Amino acid sequence: MKHKSVYLMLAVIISTMGTFIVINALSNFTGFMVYLGFTPDGSGTLISWILAFIVTVLYCYSAAKNSDVKRYMFKLDVLKCISIVAAVCAGIVEEVVFRKWVMDYLDSEGFSIFIQIFASGVAFSVVHVIWGIKSIKAGVNAAISTFLLGLALGAIQGESMNAHFSPTVLKPASKTFSR
């Protein structure tokens, strides 16, 4: 099987992150949707939607500079379909962990929005250094790009007044096209 390690990685992402989503959605679907920011009054601001769209486009454009990403960006096959499911799962869980939990905790401790955004970006970057297993260059590139993406998503989170709706919806799109 070609791409066996990729399929294994996607299976782990879907099974772990997907389980978190399914358990929360089944236990209290409405509450989980509200927690994610999917409410009529918590759907973000116009500026947060515009920023989320711009960040998504820029991230996809940046990812397309990688020759492997560029080659497979719009290729639809079984691997891409599985990647889409993994991207949705990862996008939701990452927004909960890095924007909701980290930023809300720091906010409750009285830290400024700038510290919250910075800490969220650093934490997001540190987790993505795992790509360094493939190569040091890949790890450094992943750390830098996810730090910048984390800062941007944190700023959107701050602008949207803690409504996770806009980044949660658009982030999987950026992940889907950059895989």
Side-chain angles (χ1 to χ4, degrees):
M1 172 192 278
K2 191 177 177 186
H3 303 298
K4 186 176 181 178
S5 62
V6 175
Y7 281 106
L8 179 61
M9 180 183 67
L10 293 173
V12 168
I13 290 170
I14 292 169
S15 63
T16 57
M17 296 185 184
T19 300
F20 169 82
I21 294 165
V22 169
I23 288 171
N24 281 286
L26 290 178
S27 66
N28 181 357
F29 183 77
T30 303
F32 187 55
M33 292 296 105
V34 169
Y35 189 71
L36 293 177
F38 291 95
T39 62
D41 59 335
S43 58
T45 64
L46 178 60
I47 292 172
S48 69
W49 275 100
I50 292 169
L51 290 173
F53 179 76
I54 290 169
V55 167
T56 300
V57 169
L58 290 175
Y59 189 78
C60 290
Y61 176 77
S62 170
K65 293 188 180 270
N66 178 312
S67 61
D68 287 336
V69 171
K70 189 175 192 173
R71 183 173 0 156
Y72 296 108
M73 188 172 259
F74 296 107
K75 181 181 178 187
L76 188 59
D77 58 9
V78 173
L79 183 57
K80 178 61 85 171
C81 291
I82 294 170
S83 294
I84 290 169
V85 173
V88 169
C89 292
I92 291 170
V93 172
E94 288 175 351
E95 286 308 305
V96 167
V97 171
F98 298 108
R99 259 56 71 191
K100 178 91 176 122
W101 293 352
V102 170
M103 291 179 72
D104 284 1
Y105 172 76
L106 292 172
D107 183 47
S108 73
E109 294 295 316
F111 287 93
S112 73
I113 188 66
F114 299 107
I115 298 295
Q116 295 171 43
I117 291 168
F118 184 77
S120 173
V122 168
F124 192 56
S125 175
V126 167
V127 168
H128 285 85
V129 168
I130 188 104
W131 293 109
I133 290 173
K134 185 177 177 182
S135 75
I136 299 284
K137 183 180 177 187
V140 169
N141 287 338
I144 293 169
S145 67
T146 56
F147 174 69
L148 295 173
L149 180 60
L151 290 178
L153 293 171
I156 293 166
Q157 170 70 8
E159 165 56 36
S160 68
M161 298 170 286
N162 291 326
H164 303 272
F165 188 73
S166 48
T168 302
V169 169
L170 292 175
K171 185 168 176 227
S174 68
K175 286 181 158 293
T176 298
F177 290 113
S178 65
R179 295 233 187 271

